[in-house]
Amino acid sequence: MGLRAQAHPLSEIVPLGWHMPAGAFDGILAGSANAFRQGGPLLGELTGQPVYAVGASTAEAAGKSGFRVAVTGKGGLQTVLDELAGQRLRLLRIAGEDHVPLDPPAGVTMATVIAYRVAALPVSPDLAFSLERGAVVLLHSASAAEHFAAEVDRLGLARCAIRLAALGERIAAAAGPGWASVSAADEPNDPALLALARELCHEPLRG
């Protein structure tokens, strides 16, 4: 799209050991590609199971790990579950330590295992320098938004010089107030987020 972007990690993924719950499952519920990137050796016992994925990147990671994707969602894991109403399924949810609560429809049960956690990293000096000059920042998760806001405040940077482009409304809300602008992508995917960022890059900053 002609955008010049910088990548600054605000977190790293730490795999955690987990144990397979007893009983049989009818599928895997995955809210992140990290379920497959960090799932560890026990994933090999599950490759025959269909995957119900939160979105395209998670579905892609599942496919690369040898799984068949049954559903690729567009509006969050709860929406994926809601689409399964009327079926009788027992699902294994492979999640991170910080994960959203879900309400399965009648007939659908779920066991959850924690396969990874997200460890926060401080804002780097290079990123702090860019933020001081004003920036459009893309945020992909609510935890990243909260951590980024805390880091900006810790470093004494001006929120009013920073525009935020969030992957969804919940992520935008997690960043809190005081920014030059806070906007959410029309759809929870990277093309929509980049399109939003392109619009923000061409808007004058009003102080």
Side-chain angles (χ1 to χ4, degrees), residues 53-69:
V54 69
S57 61
T58 303
E60 181 181 3
K64 289 180 177 179
S65 298
F67 289 87
R68 175 180 64 85
V69 177

Side-chain angles (χ1 to χ4, degrees), residues 1-148:
M1 293 185 176
L3 297 172
R4 186 177 60 196
Q6 302 175 22
H8 296 278
L10 292 176
S11 62
E12 61 182 355
I13 307 300
V14 180
L16 302 174
W18 56 281
H19 299 283
M20 188 74 70
F25 295 95
D26 301 301
I28 297 171
L29 186 68
S32 168
N34 289 316
F36 303 98
R37 295 171 182 158
Q38 309 294 340
L42 286 179
L43 281 179
E45 300 180 19
L46 299 165
T47 50
Q49 298 289 344
V51 171
Y52 301 89
V54 69
S57 61
T58 303
E60 181 181 3
K64 289 180 177 179
S65 298
F67 289 87
R68 175 180 64 85
V69 177
V71 173
T72 301
K74 292 185 177 180
L77 269 189
Q78 186 61 55
T79 301
V80 172
L81 278 176
D82 292 343
E83 292 178 0
L84 303 179
Q87 303 183 49
R88 299 195 66 82
L89 298 170
R90 183 174 186 244
L91 302 177
L92 177 64
R93 182 185 185 186
I94 304 177
E97 194 173 59
D98 182 18
H99 55 276
V100 299
L102 298 173
D103 183 20
V108 178
T109 59
M110 183 174 62
T112 301
V113 296
I114 307 303
Y116 62 92
R117 68 180 179 89
V118 180
L121 298 175
V123 162
S124 68
D126 286 345
L127 175 54
F129 177 74
S130 295
L131 295 174
E132 285 178 336
R133 301 168 64 193
V136 174
V137 176
L138 280 64
L139 296 170
H140 281 76
S141 75
S143 60
E146 291 172 355
H147 175 55
F148 177 73

